Amino acid sequence: MAPRANWKGFLRLSLVTCPVALYPATSESEKVSFNQLNRKTGHRIKYAKVDADTGEEVDNEDIVKGYKVDTDTYIEVTKEELENVALESTRTIEIDEFVDRSEIDPRYLIRPYYLVPDGKVGHDAFAVIRETIREMNKVAIGRVVLTNREHIIALDPLDKGLMGTLLRYPYEVRSEKEYFDEIQDVKVTKDMLDLAKHIVNQKAGHFEPDKFEDQYETALIDLINQKRAGKPITAKARPRGENVVDLMDALRKSIGRDATGPIAAPKKTAKKPRKAAVGQKEMLMPITGKKPKEAAAKKSVSKPHRKSA
């Protein structure tokens, strides 16, 4: 099933307008997730919304947002009042300007979305906007309201659609000077730099996301499967960092290790079968009475069953 759109409205460049939908470009639903349990009973922990003074549980319809102005003093704001905040970006992404991609500081990037035409109409206008951005080799900057907040969004052509990346406001980005001022000014010698460059050249490669494996996720899956099978859990030794006494010696040893040691980049002769990306649906052993294929295909079967005491 296709994911639900996070936002629907219009994309506008001057007088050119088309209906569009905004979808999340990333997902974390395949990651292992845990519930909190009562150690004594094995039952799940339930969170209740209670009045801080009376201790009584409050129904959702009786809960409103409040802005704290003083101790125990709040200004209440209703959902209707928030919806009535008149922002054009609530329903329209208006392209305000075009900038060079290199001008966008990576610290301002939040998360990516896919922007596509909504419905059967508007594909022509969408294509005109998309191809104009592509031909000009620019990034379009606009505004959009998501979760009751207005965000800056950068639009970039991606295949037949547009990738929209939410951007932070300047007040959300901390100054690096708060952290970098205490870093000592160190003179790096040419010999050290040459050795370090040699290490970089040995490790040079291409960005191929398919090579990446979430090792922590894999370790979690192994842990759950071992516990489910009733196997004993043994603690693994943690890697220790070593103090570098002679930096030049460490650089030379690094070159030798990377050239012959276990962490050297292997030469590609025959392509090894890549380990399949593991999500919760592949991680657990087949349930008794189910065929393995069926068990892997059904998400409900794939999730670990937590037993209550």
Side-chain angles (χ1 to χ4, degrees):
M1 184 182 294
R4 287 183 56 191
N6 280 30
W7 180 92
K8 288 190 176 186
F10 297 90
L11 175 64
R12 185 162 66 203
L13 172 60
S14 190
L15 298 178
V16 180
T17 305
C18 60
V20 290
L22 198 67
Y23 294 89
T26 58
S27 170
E28 296 193 355
S29 61
E30 289 297 316
K31 286 190 174 183
V32 172
S33 58
F34 293 100
N35 289 312
Q36 291 187 325
L37 306 177
N38 182 339
R39 187 194 297 272
K40 296 178 180 178
T41 65
H43 300 159
R44 282 185 60 180
I45 299 298
K46 176 185 175 183
Y47 288 92
K49 296 177 181 179
V50 299
D51 188 299
D53 290 338
T54 66
E56 295 179 357
E57 191 168 346
V58 183
D59 293 332
N60 284 333
E61 57 265 24
D62 292 326
I63 298 176
V64 297
K65 293 182 182 292
Y67 178 80
K68 186 174 182 179
V69 292
D70 201 351
T71 306
D72 297 329
T73 305
Y74 297 87
I75 295 177
E76 292 185 8
V77 181
T78 66
K79 182 181 177 181
E80 290 74 22
E81 288 171 334
L82 286 173
E83 290 175 349
N84 287 333
V85 175
L87 289 175
E88 189 177 10
S89 52
T90 302
R91 290 287 298 152
T92 302
I93 299 176
E94 175 81 39
I95 296 177
D96 296 323
E97 60 179 346
F98 294 87
V99 303
D100 290 333
R101 195 174 287 102
S102 60
E103 292 181 356
I104 301 179
D105 188 323
R107 291 176 295 177
Y108 285 80
L109 306 178
I110 302 179
R111 73 182 67 90
Y113 289 85
Y114 295 140
L115 194 69
V116 303
D118 185 26
K120 297 181 179 180
V121 298
H123 286 249
D124 291 345
F126 183 88
V128 168
I129 296 173
R130 181 196 63 213
E131 292 309 308
T132 301
I133 301 172
R134 197 193 307 272
E135 287 293 320
M136 298 297 292
N137 196 26
K138 297 281 188 180
V139 175
I141 303 294
R143 288 157 291 131
V144 63
V145 171
L146 288 172
T147 60
N148 293 324
R149 299 302 295 263
E150 185 179 58
H151 298 272
I152 306 299
I153 188 167
L155 301 176
D156 214 0
L158 180 64
D159 196 22
K160 296 191 294 182
L162 288 169
M163 185 179 74
T165 305
L166 297 190
L167 303 179
R168 294 182 174 89
Y169 287 98
Y171 68 83
E172 296 178 283
V173 178
R174 293 175 174 172
S175 170
E176 71 282 1
K177 292 181 181 178
E178 299 176 43
Y179 309 92
F180 296 168
D181 277 354
E182 308 250 340
I183 298 177
Q184 298 177 10
D185 290 324
V186 176
K187 176 69 176 176
V188 179
T189 67
K190 183 179 183 301
D191 289 343
M192 286 185 178
L193 206 55
D194 287 343
L195 287 170
K197 286 180 180 178
H198 191 71
I199 295 171
V200 171
N201 287 330
Q202 285 182 326
K203 292 178 174 288
H206 298 283
F207 181 70
E208 299 175 34
D210 286 345
K211 295 190 303 185
F212 302 152
E213 180 187 344
D214 189 337
Q215 296 180 0
Y216 183 73
E217 185 82 0
T218 303
L220 281 179
I221 291 167
D222 290 342
L223 172 66
I224 293 170
N225 280 332
Q226 286 180 48
K227 289 181 75 70
R228 188 175 182 186
K231 296 180 180 178
I233 306 299
T234 55
K236 295 181 181 177
R238 292 177 178 269
R240 291 189 308 171
E242 297 179 2
N243 291 328
V244 176
V245 179
D246 187 331
L247 189 54
M248 284 292 289
D249 185 52
L251 287 166
R252 291 192 185 99
K253 286 180 179 178
S254 295
I255 289 174
R257 186 180 68 163
D258 292 341
T260 58
I263 64 168
K267 292 182 179 179
K268 292 185 179 179
T269 49
K271 202 167 186 180
K272 290 176 73 177
R274 188 172 59 82
K275 195 170 182 180
V278 234
Q280 292 204 51
K281 62 183 177 184
E282 290 106 352
M283 76 177 187
L284 295 178
M285 299 175 292
I287 305 298
T288 307
K290 294 276 187 183
K291 292 182 180 179
K293 286 184 180 178
E294 292 176 358
K298 295 186 179 180
K299 220 166 192 180
S300 58
V301 174
S302 70
K303 292 189 177 179
H305 294 281
R306 298 170 177 81
K307 294 182 179 179
S308 301

